[in-house]
Amino acid sequence: MTRLLALFATLCLLAACTNPNDLDQAPVDLGDFRLGHNVAVAPNITKGPASREASAEEWIAAMQAAIDERFGRYEGDKLYHFGISIEGYVLAVPGVPVVASPKSALIIRVTLWDDAAQAKLNEEPEQVTIIESFSADTWIGSGLTQSKEKQMENLTRNAAKLIENWMVRQRAKQGWFGPEPMASPDPQTDSEAPVDPEATGTETGPTDETEDS
C-alpha cells in the first residue's frame, strides 16, 4: 500500500506521452492475433491520494470497452484471451491550476492466454503504469476540465495502447502471434535480378570473329 501511494505521488508530477488516437489507422502487425475473452477484474483496487471515487464495476466496464475498441479490429486465425487486474488509480480532483492539480493515473497487470495451447504467453503478469495524455484539456489538470467518466476513458484507452505496444515488443523478441513476415527483397540488390550485359561488358551472343571462323 505504501509503495503504491509513493508511486502515485511520483506519477502526479509527470505528463504522459502516450497517444491512443490512432484507431482510424490500420492496426499494427500482430500476426495471427484475434481477440477472444476480454476479462477484467478489480478484487483489491486501491484509490490513490487526492482522487475522485470510482467503483470496481466502473473500472471493469471502462477497461473492457477500451480493449474491445483496440483489439476487436484484429482478424487473425488464432484466439488469444486477456486477463487484466486493475490494481490502483488516481482520478484527479480540481486544484490550483498547473501547480497543484494532480494527474490521473492507473496501474494494471496483464496476462495473455493462447487459446489453442491452453497456456499463458507470459508466466508473470505484465505491470503497466498509465498516466493521462497531455492535451489542451489536461495541462492544467483534468480534474478541472473533465468528468470522472472522461478521465477513466482517457486512462483505459491509453492502457490499451500501451498493452498493444508491449505485445508488439514481445512479438519481435519472442515470436508471439506467429513469425514476423519476411521483408520483400530489394529489386536493386536482388542477386537473381537480370544482368545488363552492356553494364558489365559481358557479351552474350556470338561475336563477329566467331561467325567468320
Side-chain angles (χ1 to χ4, degrees):
M1 175 67 175
T2 302
R3 292 177 62 188
L4 182 61
L5 293 180
L7 178 57
F8 274 130
T10 301
L11 289 174
C12 289
L13 300 176
L14 303 176
C17 58
T18 306
N19 179 15
N21 299 319
D22 60 351
L23 293 171
D24 58 343
Q25 302 173 21
V28 298
D29 177 25
L30 284 179
D32 59 16
F33 177 89
R34 181 156 54 97
L35 178 62
H37 298 307
N38 173 12
V39 178
V41 297
N44 300 301
I45 191 169
T46 300
K47 183 180 76 170
S51 174
R52 289 168 165 163
E53 185 77 38
S55 68
E57 292 73 21
E58 288 175 305
W59 276 114
I60 289 169
M63 191 74 252
Q64 289 177 322
I67 292 294
D68 281 337
E69 178 185 46
R70 178 159 296 275
F71 294 101
R73 304 177 299 159
Y74 289 91
E75 300 179 348
D77 298 326
K78 290 180 63 179
L79 288 174
Y80 295 87
H81 310 306
F82 280 108
I84 299 176
S85 176
I86 302 165
E87 301 292 311
Y89 70 93
V90 166
L91 293 175
V93 296
V96 179
V98 181
V99 177
S101 291
K103 296 294 181 184
S104 298
L106 177 66
I107 296 175
I108 61 174
R109 295 188 179 214
V110 184
T111 302
L112 200 57
W113 290 76
D114 182 329
D115 182 80
Q118 290 293 293
K120 300 176 184 178
L121 287 181
N122 56 310
E123 284 300 321
E124 295 296 324
E126 176 72 6
Q127 181 166 301
V128 183
T129 302
I130 307 103
I131 49 180
E132 63 190 5
S133 296
F134 183 83
S135 71
D137 290 333
T138 62
W139 75 274
I140 61 172
S142 63
L144 290 166
T145 59
Q146 295 181 349
S147 66
K148 174 184 75 174
E149 290 75 19
K150 186 64 178 176
Q151 290 173 318
M152 295 173 72
E153 178 186 272
N154 185 339
L155 288 169
T156 53
R157 292 183 79 213
N158 280 0
K161 176 62 177 177
L162 289 175
I163 292 169
E164 185 182 65
N165 291 347
W166 167 65
M167 291 164 65
V168 169
R169 292 195 301 272
Q170 296 304 106
R171 176 160 164 72
K173 289 179 185 177
Q174 302 191 43
W176 286 11
F177 320 121
E180 292 190 80
M182 296 290 290
S184 300
D186 184 344
Q188 300 300 320
T189 59
D190 190 346
S191 60
E192 297 183 1
V195 177
D196 181 355
E198 294 184 2
T200 62
T202 303
E203 296 179 348
T204 58
T207 66
D208 291 343
E209 183 178 349
T210 305
E211 291 177 349
D212 292 343
S213 63

